[in-house]
C-alpha cells in the first residue's frame, strides 16, 4: 500500500480491515502519493459511512456476501427443508359487526402507536420522475399520498386522544425513511406545505444509506465506474428500516414514552387507512407481536404470499414468501403446478401488502439482540452457467417483512386479511406494463390506484345505506377499469366506517356521473340525491347539513394518452383528466 495519502488513525484501521477482507484491488490502480490525495481520502470517508451504517460493519457485510454468493452459486434454496402451507389468520369483512368492534378497539389504541413510512425507493417499475409520495392519490382533489397519510394520522390522533380524555400521549409520532434518491425532495414537499398540518417536531426523517456493490463471488467491492476513488453503491431495500429505527434511538424513545405499537407502511396506497384501525384492533385484541395486513392474491401477482413454513425439524413460522420464490417453493414441495389459483379464483396464500404492525416491547427487545439486522439475500445475474462472473455488479438486499425470520417460535405472528378494495390500491406499474397484466388481475397502476379509491368510498357509502349507482367500465391507458362516482372525503370526516355511518341520514343517493368531495368534518348528508358535483368545504369546522336534491352539469372524465407529453406526467400516467364544468359549493 505504497500510494496512500496521509491518513488519520481511524482511516488506517479501515485500510487494514479492507486488506484483511481481500479488498486491496480498491487501491491497486492508485497513482503515487501527492496525486489526487483528497479524492483518495474521500474513499476512506465513504468506507467509514458504509462501515457505520451497516450492523456489524463492512467486514460483516463482506463476510455475509461471501456466504450468500456461495449459496447462490451452489443453487441452494433458502427454503430447503421447509414445507409451505396456508396459514390461518383473522379474516375481516368490511362494515360487519366484528369489523366495527375491531375498528373501535384500534381507534382507542391508536394514540399509543407510531407510524413509519418507508419511502426510500424510487419506484423503478412505475418510472415516474418525481418521488412517489408527491403523486396525487386521486385527481378529484389532487391530494398527494403524503398529505393523505398525514391527515389520516392526525384524524386518528384527534379521535383516539379525545376518547382517552386527556389520559396518556397526545401525539402520534410519524417517521419517514428516505434515501439519497428521495430525501431532499421529501423534505421539500413537507416544508413547502407546512408539513400538511402536522407539527414539524412530530415528523422524524431517517435516511437509509446504500450498500457496497460486489463484483464477483469473492465479494470484491466494485469500483464505481464513474469515479475510480469510490465504491459503487446500490439500495439495500426497505429492510433497512429496522436497523435505522434502532440505531437512531427513535424506537427506544417511543418505547420509553409508553408507546405500544409501531405501524409500517409503503409509499403509494390510498386505501391503507381504511384498514388500519381494524387491523390495529386485531393486534391489540389478539396480542400479536407481528401482524401483517393481507388481501386476496391472484396467483403469480407481484405481491408476496403469506405462508406457513414447517421445517423437517418441527420449527414453524408464518412469513412472507416473495412473489418470485413462491412458485419454485411450491413446485419443489409437492405442488407440481406451482403458484395457481384455487377454485375461489385466488391463490390460497393471502397476499402481503407490507403493512406491518409490531408490538414495540418485543420488537425493541429483539432489535437489542440483532441491532436491526434482517436476513438478507443476493440476486446476482450471472454471465453464464458456470456462475463465475456477473453481468453487472450485485449487492445484498433485505426486506422489512423478513423481520419475523429471526423470531423464536413462541412469538405471536399473525395476519389480518380483508378485501383488496378496502386495503390495497398501490401505484407501482407504468401504463405499458399495467396494460399487459392478465385480465382479472389488479393493474397496480396510477389508473387503478385512483379508481379503486372511488370504488372503496362508493362501497363504504353503500354499506352506510346510501344508494350509489353501479360503475361503468371504461378503458384508460389500455386498462379496463370500473368507474364509480368520484367520491372523496377528508379523513377527519370519515375516519372509520362508524364515523361515515353516523353522518348519513334518510334516503341518500348518488348517480354514477357524480362527484362528491367532503372536506368539512361536521358534514351530514340528509336525504341527499346527488346528480352532478357537490363540494363541501371546511369553514372552521362549522356544521354543514346537505339536504335534498343537487343537480348540475358536474365534473366529467376525459381520456388522455400517456404518450401525450403536453399533459403533466402525474396526469397522463393515469390516462384521464377531470374537467370541472359545474358544481354546487357548500356551505
Ligand atoms: N423502499 C425503501 O424505502 N427503500 C428501498 O431501498 C426500497 C424500497 P416497492 P417491492 O406491496 O405489492 C414489496 O419497490 O419491494 C420502499 C414487498 O416486498 O414498491 O417490489 C419503497 O419506497 C412485497 O412482498 O415494492 O415489494 C416502497 O414504499 C409486496 O408486498 C416500499 O419500500 C409488495 O411490496 C416497497 O417497495 C407490494
Amino acid at each position: 500500500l505504497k500510494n496512500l495519502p496521509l491518513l488519520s488513525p481511524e482511516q488506517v484501521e479501515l485500510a487494514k480491515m479492507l486488506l484483511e477482507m481481500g479488498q486491496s484491488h480498491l487501491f491497486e490502480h492508485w497513482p503515487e502519493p501527492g496525486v489526487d490525495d483528497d479524492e483518495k481520502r474521500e474513499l476512506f470517508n465513504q468506507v467509514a459511512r458504509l462501515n457505520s451504517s451497516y450492523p456489524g460493519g463492512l467486514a460483516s457485510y463482506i463476510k455475509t456476501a461471501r456466504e450468500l454468493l456461495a449459496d447462490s452459486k451452489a443453487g441452494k434454496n433458502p427454503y430447503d427443508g421447509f414445507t409451505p402451507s396456508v396459514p390461518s389468520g383473522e379474516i375481516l369483512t368490511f362494515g360487519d359487526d366484528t369489523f366495527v368492534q375491531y375498528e373501535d378497539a384500534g381507534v382507542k389504541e391508536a394514540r399509543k402507536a407510531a407510524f413509519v413510512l418507508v419511502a426510500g425507493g424510487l419506484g423503478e417499475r412505475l418510472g415516474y420522475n418525481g418521488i412517489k409520495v408527491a403523486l396525487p392519490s386521486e385527481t378529484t382533489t389532487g391530494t398527494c399520498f403524503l398529505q393523505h397519510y398525514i391527515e389520516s394520522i392526525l384524524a386518528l390522533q384527534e379521535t383516539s386522544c379525545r376518547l382517552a380524555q386527556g389520559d396518556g400521549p397526545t401525539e402520534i409520532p410519524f417517521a419517514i425513511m428516505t434515501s439519497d434518491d428521495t430525501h431532499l425532495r421529501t423534505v421539500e414537499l413537507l416544508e413547502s406545505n407546512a408539513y400538511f398540518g402536522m407539527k414539524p417536531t412530530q415528523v422524524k426523517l431517517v435516511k437509509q444509506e446504500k450498500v457496497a456493490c460486489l463484483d464477483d463471488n469473492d465479494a470484491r467491492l466494485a469500483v464505481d465506474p464513474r469515479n475510480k476513488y469510490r465504491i459503487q453503491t446500490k439500495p439495500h431495500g426497505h429492510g433497512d428500516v429496522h436497523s435505522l429505527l434502532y440505531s437512531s434511538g427513535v424506537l427506544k424513545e417511543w418505547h420509553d414514552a409508553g408507546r405500544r405499537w409501531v405501524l409500517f407502511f409503503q409509499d403509494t396506497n390510498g386505501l391503507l387507512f381504511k384498514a388500519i384501525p381494524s387491523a390495529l384492533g386485531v393486534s391489540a385484541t389478539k396480542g400479536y407481536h407481528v401482524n401483517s395486513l393481507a388481501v386476496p392474491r391472484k396467483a403469480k401477482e407481484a405481491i408476496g404470499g403469506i405462508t406457513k413454513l414447517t421445517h423437517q425439524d418441527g420449527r414453524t413460522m408464518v412469513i412472507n414468501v416473495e412473489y418470485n420464490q413462491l412458485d419454485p417453493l411450491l413446485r419443489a414441495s409437492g405442488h407440481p403446478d406451482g403458484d395457481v389459483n384455487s377454485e375461489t379464483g385466488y391463490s390460497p396464500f393471502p397476499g402481503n401488502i407490507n403493512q406491518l404492525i409490531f408490538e414495540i416491547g418485543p420488537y425493541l427487545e429483539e432489535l437489542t439482540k440483532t441491532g436491526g439486522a434482517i436476513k438478507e439475500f443476493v440476486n446476482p445475474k450471472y454471465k453464464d452457467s458456470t456462475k463465475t462472473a456477473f453481468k453487472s455488479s450485485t449487492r445484498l438486499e433485505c426486506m422489512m417483512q423478513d423481520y419475523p425470520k429471526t423470531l423464536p417460535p413462541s412469538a405471536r405472528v399473525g395476519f389480518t386479511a380483508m378485501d383488496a378494495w378496502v386495503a390495497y390500491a398501490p401505484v407501482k406499474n407504468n401504463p405499458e406494463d399495467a396494460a399487459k397484466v392478465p385480465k382479472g388481475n389488479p393493474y397496480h397502476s396510477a389508473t387503478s390506484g385512483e379508481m379503486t379509491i372511488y370504488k372503496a368510498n362508493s362501497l363504504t357509502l353503500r354499506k352506510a345505506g346510501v344508494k350509489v349507482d353501479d360503475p361503468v367500465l371504461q378503458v384508460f391507458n389500455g386498462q379496463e377499469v370500473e368507474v364509480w362516482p368520484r367520491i372523496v372525503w377528508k379523513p377527519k370526516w370519515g375516519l372509520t366506517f362508524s364515523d361515515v355511518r353516523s353522518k348519513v341520514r334518510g334516503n341518500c343517493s348518488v348517480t354514477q356521473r357524480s362527484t362528491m368531495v367532503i372536506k368539512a368534518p361536521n358534514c351530514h348528508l340528509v336525504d341527499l340525491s346527488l346528480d352532478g358535483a357537490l363540494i363541501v368545504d371546511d369553514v372552521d369546522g362549522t356544521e354543514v347539513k346537505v339536504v335534498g336534491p343537487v343537480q348540475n352539469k358536474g365534473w366529467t372524465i376525459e381520456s388522455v394518452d400517456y404518450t401525450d407529453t403536453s399533459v403533466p406526467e402525474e396526469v397522463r400516467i393515469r390516462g384521464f383528466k377531470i374537467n370541472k364544468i359545474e358544481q354546487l359549493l357548500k356551505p
Side-chain angles (χ1 to χ4, degrees):
L1 278 184
K2 303 185 295 288
N3 295 334
L4 291 182
L6 197 60
L7 296 178
S8 69
E10 294 80 29
Q11 289 172 329
V12 171
E13 285 308 311
L14 290 174
K16 278 191 199 155
M17 178 272 292
L18 288 173
L19 287 186
E20 276 162 23
M21 296 308 294
Q23 306 294 338
S24 59
H25 66 283
L26 291 173
F27 320 103
E28 263 157 17
H29 55 281
W30 283 12
E32 67 275 14
V35 180
D36 293 343
D37 278 359
D38 286 347
E39 278 293 305
K40 290 173 182 172
R41 273 188 218 101
E42 236 354 274
L43 175 91
F44 285 97
N45 290 338
Q46 185 195 19
V47 169
R49 282 196 302 277
L50 291 170
N51 194 49
S52 65
S53 61
Y54 186 82
L58 197 50
S60 156
Y61 178 79
I62 296 166
K63 196 168 148 280
T64 307
R66 284 189 184 134
E67 288 163 13
L68 290 173
L69 285 164
D71 286 352
S72 169
K73 186 171 183 225
K76 195 169 157 195
N77 179 346
Y79 295 107
D80 251 359
F82 283 103
T83 309
S85 59
V86 180
S88 58
E90 195 63 30
I91 299 175
L92 302 185
T93 305
F94 181 84
D96 74 5
D97 289 348
T98 311
F99 183 88
V100 169
Q101 278 161 18
Y102 278 132
E103 261 196 341
D104 288 349
V107 170
K108 280 202 194 97
E109 206 64 21
R111 75 204 163 89
K112 292 185 240 153
F115 282 82
V116 181
L117 166 64
V118 289
L122 263 186
E124 280 162 0
R125 282 195 266 157
L126 182 66
Y128 172 60
N129 275 312
I131 51 168
K132 288 172 75 181
V133 291
L135 272 175
S137 57
E138 37 77 18
T139 50
T140 294
T141 66
T143 305
C144 74
F145 282 104
L146 190 55
Q147 175 173 6
H148 175 68
Y149 295 151
I150 289 183
E151 289 179 347
S152 301
I153 295 170
L154 289 175
L156 258 178
Q157 170 181 300
E158 197 185 310
T159 312
S160 189
C161 294
R162 192 180 56 235
L163 291 172
Q165 297 181 329
D167 174 30
T170 53
E171 257 180 25
I172 298 179
F174 178 36
I176 307 174
M177 180 172 81
T178 57
S179 68
D180 280 323
D181 294 329
T182 62
H183 186 79
L184 289 177
R185 284 177 287 178
T186 308
V187 172
E188 222 265 314
L189 181 65
L190 285 165
E191 288 183 349
S192 58
N193 289 287
Y195 285 72
F196 299 111
M198 197 172 247
K199 285 191 208 153
T201 48
Q202 201 173 340
V203 185
K204 174 96 187 167
L205 267 68
V206 288
K207 183 162 77 69
Q208 63 177 145
E209 295 294 333
K210 292 184 178 169
V211 287
C213 292
L214 310 159
D215 260 343
D216 59 23
N217 285 328
D218 288 331
R220 276 154 56 100
L221 302 181
V223 175
D224 191 333
R226 294 164 310 174
N227 181 342
K228 65 178 177 178
Y229 299 110
R230 294 290 184 284
I231 294 166
Q232 190 186 16
T233 59
K234 284 188 184 166
H236 190 217
H238 36 72
D240 278 346
V241 72
H242 304 299
S243 62
L244 277 173
L245 287 181
Y246 183 70
S247 64
S248 63
V250 170
L251 193 65
K252 181 151 189 323
E253 202 181 290
W254 291 343
H255 182 256
D256 291 350
R259 305 210 155 268
R260 195 164 164 219
W261 307 103
V262 55
L263 292 91
F264 297 89
F265 63 108
Q266 303 195 144
D267 48 19
T268 57
N269 181 6
L271 297 184
L272 180 67
F273 279 84
K274 277 193 184 295
I276 290 277
S278 57
L280 181 57
V282 170
S283 277
T285 311
K286 305 237 156 195
Y288 280 156
H289 296 166
V290 173
N291 183 11
S292 303
L293 246 96
V295 297
R297 172 182 181 277
K298 288 279 184 183
K300 302 193 177 62
E301 204 187 311
I303 65 177
I306 306 221
T307 310
K308 180 171 181 186
L309 293 176
T310 307
H311 198 267
Q312 284 154 354
D313 63 16
R315 267 180 298 150
T316 63
M317 58 179 165
V318 175
I319 194 85
N320 171 70
V321 175
E322 202 56 343
Y323 40 88
N324 53 345
Q325 291 180 321
L326 188 59
D327 186 75
L329 170 66
L330 289 168
R331 285 177 197 275
S333 50
H335 303 80
D337 298 331
D339 181 16
V340 284
N341 291 326
S342 70
E343 64 283 358
T344 62
Y346 287 93
S347 155
F349 296 92
N352 166 48
I353 60 170
N354 248 9
Q355 156 61 57
L356 309 167
I357 305 178
F358 293 179
E359 188 177 345
I360 289 189
Y363 177 45
L364 181 62
E365 206 175 294
E366 175 70 9
L367 294 200
T368 309
K369 288 184 229 149
T370 62
I374 291 300
K375 279 231 178 298
E376 293 160 300
F377 59 95
V378 70
N379 193 10
K381 305 277 178 289
Y382 297 108
K383 269 199 179 136
D384 57 39
S385 59
T386 62
K387 293 189 172 181
T388 44
F390 306 157
K391 281 188 191 154
S392 59
S393 67
T394 189
R395 83 290 195 182
L396 301 191
E397 294 176 73
C398 61
M399 301 189 293
M400 65 171 171
Q401 67 272 33
D402 277 346
Y403 164 75
K405 281 192 174 163
T406 55
L407 293 182
S410 58
R412 286 194 295 277
V413 182
F415 71 87
T416 304
M418 51 192 103
D419 280 335
W421 69 261
V422 184
Y424 194 54
V427 178
K428 297 207 181 207
N429 290 328
N430 61 61
E432 270 173 340
D433 290 342
K436 289 185 216 145
V437 164
K439 204 171 159 49
N441 282 20
Y443 299 114
H444 294 170
S445 64
T447 314
S448 62
E450 174 159 356
M451 287 299 170
T452 315
I453 291 175
Y454 304 139
K455 173 178 180 171
N457 288 340
S458 296
L459 290 177
T460 304
L461 282 188
R462 264 193 187 172
K463 288 237 176 221
V466 178
K467 185 184 159 295
V468 180
D469 277 0
D470 280 339
V472 296
L473 289 177
Q474 267 184 277
V475 177
F476 301 110
N477 282 348
Q479 303 152 56
E480 188 181 70
V481 287
E482 289 179 1
V483 182
W484 290 77
R486 275 68 64 208
I487 299 173
V488 189
W489 56 74
K490 288 277 183 197
K492 60 187 174 182
W493 182 75
L495 177 66
T496 60
F497 176 62
S498 314
D499 285 338
V500 173
R501 200 168 46 181
S502 71
K503 288 170 175 167
V504 174
R505 274 183 247 145
N507 289 323
C508 292
S509 63
V510 181
T511 60
Q512 187 277 333
R513 67 173 197 95
S514 292
T515 297
M516 177 162 72
V517 177
I518 307 178
K519 298 182 185 166
N522 290 317
C523 168
H524 287 88
L525 309 178
V526 186
D527 293 324
L528 168 73
S529 81
L530 174 63
D531 182 37
L534 165 71
I535 315 296
V536 187
D537 258 338
D538 179 12
V539 181
D540 302 327
T542 42
E543 195 170 337
V544 191
K545 213 190 247 183
V546 188
V547 190
V550 175
Q551 194 173 30
N552 54 48
K553 294 200 182 87
W555 294 4
T556 58
I557 297 184
E558 184 189 330
S559 290
V560 292
D561 193 90
Y562 72 93
T563 55
D564 179 356
T565 49
S566 68
V567 180
E569 190 183 8
E570 52 276 18
V571 174
R572 70 184 142 88
I573 55 171
R574 49 201 86 219
F576 59 85
K577 64 177 182 187
I578 292 183
N579 292 324
K580 302 180 177 179
I581 298 172
E582 192 190 5
Q583 67 281 320
L584 174 71
L585 187 63
K586 287 266 187 182

